Amino acid sequence: MLVVLLVSGFGGAFLYYSMLRGIQLGTLSKGPMLWSRCVAACALMFAACASVIVQYLVDDASYLLILAFWPVFILALEPAYRLVGSGAPIEKSGEKKE
């Protein structure tokens, strides 16, 4: 259970922030398919992580708890996706303005 907790928590965080960084740098284009990978998939990983914690504390918790936590994490991750997607791409460290 600890392995599932660590993999889902750290994997979701790494995937989310790397996707946001790709949008910010302009290497990824914002769209519905990217939203499903960036927000929905990461929220599902965080929901799995939270359900493992609840199952550790409560003996008879159902795995359907993941589906209950999923919209909550989508609501938490959505604003950063919209904020990063609305801004202009930043310069990469190797490029110089002329």
Side-chain angles (χ1 to χ4, degrees), residues 15-65:
L15 183 66
Y16 182 66
Y17 288 114
S18 64
M19 290 278 207
L20 288 182
R21 182 71 174 159
I23 293 170
Q24 187 179 27
L25 290 175
T27 57
L28 296 173
S29 60
K30 190 175 162 188
M33 193 64 159
L34 185 66
W35 181 90
S36 67
R37 288 186 212 141
C38 184
V39 177
C42 296
L44 186 63
M45 293 177 85
F46 289 142
C49 182
S51 76
V52 168
I53 293 170
V54 170
Q55 287 176 356
Y56 179 74
L57 298 174
V58 179
D59 292 333
D60 56 346
S62 172
Y63 282 105
L64 294 175
L65 193 60

Side-chain angles (χ1 to χ4, degrees), residues 53-87:
I53 293 170
V54 170
Q55 287 176 356
Y56 179 74
L57 298 174
V58 179
D59 292 333
D60 56 346
S62 172
Y63 282 105
L64 294 175
L65 193 60
I66 293 173
L67 297 177
F69 282 140
W70 194 20
V72 174
F73 283 106
I74 286 176
L75 290 174
L77 298 177
E78 177 76 22
Y81 173 79
R82 290 192 185 271
L83 183 67
V84 168
S86 67

